[in-house]
Amino acid sequence: MAAESKYKKLVKNSVVFFIGNLGSKVITFLIVPFYTYYLTTAEYGTADLVTTTVNLLVPFAMVGMNEAVLRFTVSKEVDVKTIASNSLLVVIAGWVICWLLFPFFRMFSVIGDNVVYFLLLLCLTSFNYVFMQLLRGIGNSKAFAANGVVITFVTAFSNVLALAVWHLGVGGYLASMVVAQFIGSLHIIVSSRLWNYLSFSSLNRHALNAMLTYCIPLIPNSLMWWIMSASDRYVILFFIGASANGIYNVAQKIPQIVNIVYNIFMQAWQISAIEERESADNARFQSTVFRYIFVVLAVASSLIAASAYPVYTFLMSSSYEGSWQPVAMLSLANLFSCVAAFFGTTYVVTKESKKAFSTTAIGAIVNIALTLLLVPAFGIMGAAGATAISYAVIAAVRARDTRKFIKLDFHRGEIAASFVLIGAQVALSFAPFSHGILIAESLLFFVLLFVLRNGLLDIARKGMKVVGKRKQSA
């Protein structure tokens, strides 16, 4: 594929996914203050732990089949009907096992009386995860993006009814999630005409073995990644309480905007990386994409860190007042996380799923050790610090591994300066708020813009070039 068309396809796919996800992500952001007014910090913390536990168990319920569906569909190594039929068989088996474990799940206080909601959410989410990847793999990116919009709009509407109109509390919150996932499943079935891809004759043991060989090592990888992103909430619950967990969860919301937008890009990037794995200028292609992505991520992370106090004090209920302080640290953690995810694509392309697990396991071990050490001493700031350090470890190890497969051209000066400046913003966030601190945080942001000016100008030139060509062809 010509160099220009590679970038054009990546941009086109990214735009499609972005437009499709924009409405859903905006609503997800806007509804957080709504939760803070209708759920106490303890209620929000409890509801968050139930959904967090679902996210922990989804990879086990679907045996990581979502990863195999995307990899094998895009590379066209297996017939699509065989992929879909084998995947549905695995998903149904997972559902059966989940419901057989009903008495076991009922024993846990985190799930408690919400066990039915929990299991329904677990099963429906696993179905959606697998077959949304089928939509991506067969090139139906518009339906894939639309599914996220459908789920989020239904979630928002049903949450308003459950919390603001009927005042159902935690149960209403979880029921809303179940309804949204169910509607999302129906949307996937109809938009993909899933029945056309399913048949008993398409079941293939050899293809299933190949898919499972690829995806099974990614199950513990998902577990390790969950530990990285969510185990700190259980440690906070144990040492500080559910209210502190609710505050910490709210603190993560705005830094996660960076991750949300980046994950939309990753949906397009994974496809491009798999398709271009054998191209002659792959190293240059990946180096350019990484530089541009890093520049955008660094600027966004620094801006969020600089604006944390005014944004959080304006948007959130007064009972969540302390949620602004960990934001700078969490922004740095998300930056490291995005860098690690970019390099993790190398393992997808090369089918080195065991390496994906081992690198994430290293970070998870670091995360658990530091969280247990820092949370009792520093509270939620300690949890944020442990998360940032562990993601940094994964990013460093994966960057080293990536260079074994492909010689990327890192702009080390820009990267080092960016981390130093954002690190300085993090250090300032430990101090009590003052106007002097706010001014210093803002100055560091503008210094970062100056340091990354060449990368920003390159991005602007590329963007103008693409717009100019579209106008000429119109």
Side-chain angles (χ1 to χ4, degrees):
M1 186 182 292
E4 196 65 36
S5 61
K6 291 180 183 181
Y7 295 102
K8 187 180 293 185
K9 184 171 184 179
L10 176 59
V11 171
K12 180 182 177 181
N13 285 338
S14 297
V15 169
V16 170
F17 289 131
F18 181 77
I19 293 173
N21 282 274
L22 180 62
S24 64
K25 303 312 178 187
V26 168
I27 290 177
T28 299
F29 169 72
L30 293 177
I31 205 168
V32 172
F34 172 81
Y35 291 146
T36 67
Y37 280 95
Y38 285 96
L39 293 172
T40 66
T41 55
E43 286 176 331
Y44 194 26
T46 299
D48 175 65
L49 285 172
V50 173
T51 55
T52 298
T53 306
V54 168
N55 291 332
L56 163 64
L57 296 178
V58 161
F60 295 91
M62 63 184 178
V63 199
M65 190 56 65
N66 60 317
E67 301 284 356
V69 167
L70 178 65
R71 180 63 179 80
F72 283 82
T73 306
V74 172
S75 64
K76 298 180 173 60
E77 297 175 36
V78 179
D79 179 70
V80 175
K81 288 187 176 181
T82 298
I83 293 172
S85 300
N86 285 340
S87 299
L88 183 61
L89 178 66
V90 171
V91 168
I92 292 174
W95 290 354
V96 172
I97 293 171
C98 286
W99 284 96
L100 288 175
L101 292 173
F102 183 99
F104 173 77
F105 289 127
R106 187 67 182 268
M107 294 166 52
F108 288 88
S109 59
V110 171
I111 299 171
D113 295 332
N114 299 306
V115 64
V116 173
Y117 294 137
F118 170 81
L119 287 170
L120 288 172
L121 194 56
L122 179 60
C123 293
L124 290 169
T125 302
S126 66
F127 177 89
N128 289 344
Y129 274 24
V130 170
F131 288 98
M132 282 179 70
Q133 299 310 313
L134 184 71
L135 290 175
R136 280 177 68 191
I138 63 178
N140 197 349
S141 54
K142 292 181 181 179
F144 171 84
N147 189 255
V149 176
V150 169
I151 290 175
T152 307
F153 269 85
V154 175
T155 300
F157 179 74
S158 55
N159 264 319
V160 170
L161 289 179
L163 299 180
V165 179
W166 297 328
H167 304 287
L168 297 178
V170 173
Y173 175 94
L174 295 175
S176 299
M177 300 297 176
V178 170
V179 170
Q181 290 296 327
F182 177 72
I183 299 298
S185 298
L186 293 180
H187 177 267
I188 289 174
I189 293 169
V190 174
S191 62
S192 67
R193 297 182 181 273
L194 186 58
W195 54 85
N196 290 330
Y197 294 100
L198 302 175
S199 69
F200 285 107
S201 61
S202 294
L203 294 173
N204 185 293
R205 182 169 58 86
H206 296 293
L208 181 59
N209 287 340
M211 294 171 71
L212 291 174
T213 299
Y214 172 76
C215 69
I216 284 178
L218 294 175
I219 300 173
N221 177 63
S222 297
L223 173 61
M224 295 299 104
W225 205 255
W226 176 88
I227 289 173
M228 295 282 299
S229 62
S231 62
D232 47 6
R233 300 178 192 182
Y234 293 92
V235 177
I236 290 171
L237 177 67
F238 180 79
F239 284 106
I240 312 176
S243 294
N245 185 68
I247 291 172
Y248 185 68
N249 181 260
V250 168
Q252 292 178 312
K253 293 303 181 183
I254 293 181
Q256 282 176 346
I257 293 173
V258 175
N259 253 341
I260 287 170
V261 176
Y262 180 73
N263 286 336
I264 295 172
F265 161 77
M266 285 296 293
Q267 293 167 9
W269 172 242
Q270 283 186 337
I271 294 173
S272 292
I274 294 170
E275 291 179 339
E276 301 300 327
R277 62 193 183 279
E278 302 295 342
S279 63
D281 65 338
N282 190 28
R284 182 181 178 185
F285 176 53
Q286 291 210 30
S287 297
T288 302
V289 172
F290 174 71
R291 187 197 183 195
Y292 291 168
I293 287 301
F294 180 83
V295 167
V296 172
L297 290 171
V299 170
S301 299
S302 179
L303 178 61
I304 291 173
S307 59
Y309 182 83
V311 169
Y312 269 73
T313 52
F314 175 75
L315 287 177
M316 306 305 172
S317 165
S318 59
S319 59
Y320 291 81
E321 183 179 353
S323 60
W324 71 270
Q325 200 162 17
V327 170
M329 184 74 80
L330 290 170
S331 295
L332 179 60
N334 278 338
L335 178 57
F336 281 124
S337 171
C338 292
V339 172
F342 184 92
F343 293 132
T345 304
T346 301
Y347 304 134
V348 176
V349 172
T350 60
K351 293 185 182 178
E352 292 281 348
S353 50
K354 292 180 181 177
K355 289 291 291 182
F357 162 65
S358 62
T359 55
T360 312
I362 292 170
I365 292 169
V366 172
N367 181 265
I368 292 174
L370 289 179
T371 302
L372 292 171
L373 180 67
L374 297 178
V375 167
F378 300 101
I380 59 177
M381 288 295 285
T387 301
I389 294 170
S390 52
Y391 278 132
V393 170
I394 295 180
V397 174
R398 289 187 171 184
R400 182 200 64 191
D401 282 352
T402 296
R403 285 185 62 83
K404 295 177 182 177
F405 294 100
I406 184 170
K407 300 299 181 184
L408 295 184
D409 180 19
F410 297 123
H411 289 72
R412 289 184 173 85
E414 290 181 349
I415 293 174
S418 298
F419 282 126
V420 168
L421 290 168
I422 298 174
Q425 290 179 303
V426 171
L428 288 171
S429 71
F430 280 86
F433 175 77
S434 69
H435 289 96
I437 293 293
L438 182 59
I439 292 171
E441 296 267 13
S442 301
L443 286 174
L444 287 168
F445 168 70
F446 287 110
V447 172
L448 180 72
L449 291 180
F450 178 78
V451 168
L452 298 178
R453 64 191 183 281
N454 291 331
L456 290 168
L457 287 172
D458 284 348
I459 294 171
R461 291 190 194 101
K462 280 275 188 184
M464 291 174 67
K465 189 175 180 181
V466 171
V467 171
K469 285 191 173 183
R470 285 193 174 184
K471 286 183 178 179
Q472 290 175 6
S473 60

